[in-house]
Amino acid sequence: MAGLMDKAKEFVAEKVANMEKPEATVKNVDLKGVSTECITYKADVNVSNPYSTSIPICQISYTFKSADRVIAEGTIPDPGSLKAEADTMLDVEVKVPHSVLASLVKDIGADWDIDYELNIILTVDLPIFGNFNIPVNSKGEVKLPTLSTLFGC
């Protein structure tokens, strides 16, 4: 009897491992806005849902790094759902305090941009399996605002 249970567990584990799962990619990271507290960047994240039903997103967690240092991190609770059998574009807002930018002077001074690494974890609620994490990573450069950007000159 124990052998039959082990075979059943192996069968289910193999089927689950080979099942299609939602996948995500960062399409773009760009300046969204500037306030007295921070600079806000927007990451466009495309998520493909292979299932015939929509999937609720429990939360989005992010870590924004530059020069191997965390310069912003946060969580966006309950941002909506993934469309069934379709791609869903998510806007992930990353708020970078001005005080952090001062510590990145070497990187900023050369070309007025930040070399970044963005790590995002989308936590979705898959029926039967429960919470499932979809990791998304992106590296690149993002420009800082200039005076003309800030004041529309």
Side-chain angles (χ1 to χ4, degrees):
M1 185 68 155
L4 181 61
M5 286 300 286
D6 288 339
K7 285 185 186 235
K9 285 181 188 177
E10 283 178 33
F11 176 78
V12 170
E14 183 180 317
K15 291 295 180 191
V16 169
N18 293 327
M19 238 174 77
E20 272 192 293
K21 296 175 186 74
E23 294 180 359
T25 56
V26 175
K27 294 294 184 185
N28 188 39
V29 177
D30 207 359
L31 175 68
K32 179 174 182 185
V34 179
S35 71
T36 55
E37 295 87 35
C38 65
I39 295 176
T40 304
Y41 292 96
K42 181 180 76 125
D44 298 323
V45 180
N46 185 55
V47 187
S48 299
N49 177 8
Y51 304 126
S52 60
T53 183
S54 65
I55 300 173
I57 305 170
C58 301
Q59 72 177 20
I60 300 173
S61 304
Y62 66 85
T63 304
F64 195 61
K65 295 180 182 179
S66 182
D68 294 324
R69 291 188 24 214
V70 173
I71 61 172
E73 58 187 341
T75 301
I76 302 167
D78 194 23
S81 296
L82 302 177
K83 298 174 196 162
E85 295 180 331
D87 289 355
T88 302
M89 189 64 75
L90 302 173
D91 293 337
V92 178
E93 288 189 4
V94 177
K95 297 179 185 280
V96 180
H98 295 299
S99 59
V100 173
L101 296 176
S103 66
L104 299 172
V105 170
K106 279 184 183 177
D107 184 34
I108 293 170
D111 48 9
W112 206 245
D113 66 19
I114 297 175
D115 297 321
Y116 73 86
E117 178 180 348
L118 178 60
N119 300 311
I120 298 173
I121 297 177
L122 303 171
T123 304
V124 297
D125 185 13
L126 293 179
I128 299 172
F129 301 108
N131 288 351
F132 177 75
N133 290 334
I134 305 169
V136 189
N137 302 308
S138 175
K139 290 183 179 183
E141 292 179 347
V142 66
K143 292 288 183 192
L144 290 171
T146 60
L147 290 177
S148 61
T149 306
L150 291 173
F151 301 110
C153 300

